[in-house]
Amino acid sequence: GIEKLKQGRYAFLVLDIMLPGIDGFEVCRRVRKFSDIPVIMLTARGEVTDRIVGLELGADDYLPKPFDPRELVARIQRILKRVSADSSPESDNGLKIDERGQRVMLNGKHLELTTREFSMLVLLSTSPAKVWTRDEIMNELRGTDADIYSRVIDISISRLRKKLLPLDPITTIWGKGYRWTE
């Protein structure tokens, strides 16, 4: 299986811990030496220690048996969605957002963003059709019913826009809020 993984192009590895020959932990260890393919480990060994070992070896998730197949599919879809967003090529406008690594590149240049600016960028860019009100943005960034003066959002958006120049992906919808436009 390891040799086939080296030769072929696979999107995902579902790995049982109890394999004949070498166990799934060793397989995961070996795979991580040459690949960052998403891995979910399945096993009847559901002890916390086993889960921790699996995750420390580089598994993206760990699902103890018995499990509902729909849960496995949902977990795989979640991981693939995250991985495809993280590894997506630069957009046509030269902007690349790496959520996992908390980095933003614009035309190959790293942008220095504050935590709030990065969170706003991710929030807006992952829902391009949605118009976000100031209150919704505050609640998403600070939690439900955040008590922050709404000008903080306007100021943060203004600073973020300056850092994204020459792009202008954030549109103000007067009287409503902000929307991401490609």
Side-chain angles (χ1 to χ4, degrees), residues 21-39:
I22 63 174
D23 67 15
F25 293 130
E26 181 59 26
V27 172
C28 188
R29 186 177 292 112
R30 290 182 187 182
V31 166
R32 282 295 174 243
K33 288 181 181 177
F34 67 88
S35 176
D36 62 353
I37 187 171
V39 176

Side-chain angles (χ1 to χ4, degrees), residues 134-146:
R134 288 179 189 88
D135 287 342
E136 288 173 327
I137 293 171
M138 287 188 296
N139 290 341
E140 285 292 322
L141 299 183
R142 294 285 195 176
T144 307
D145 298 326

Side-chain angles (χ1 to χ4, degrees), residues 26 30 32 35 46 89 116 124 144 146 152 164 173 178 181:
E26 181 59 26
R30 290 182 187 182
R32 282 295 174 243
S35 176
R116 179 182 294 130
L124 293 169
T144 307
V152 169
L164 291 173
I173 308 300
Y178 300 99
T181 53

Side-chain angles (χ1 to χ4, degrees), residues 118-135:
F118 182 80
S119 297
M120 290 174 107
L121 179 64
V122 169
L123 179 70
L124 293 169
S125 67
T126 55
S127 303
K130 179 173 175 34
V131 175
W132 290 89
T133 67
R134 288 179 189 88
D135 287 342

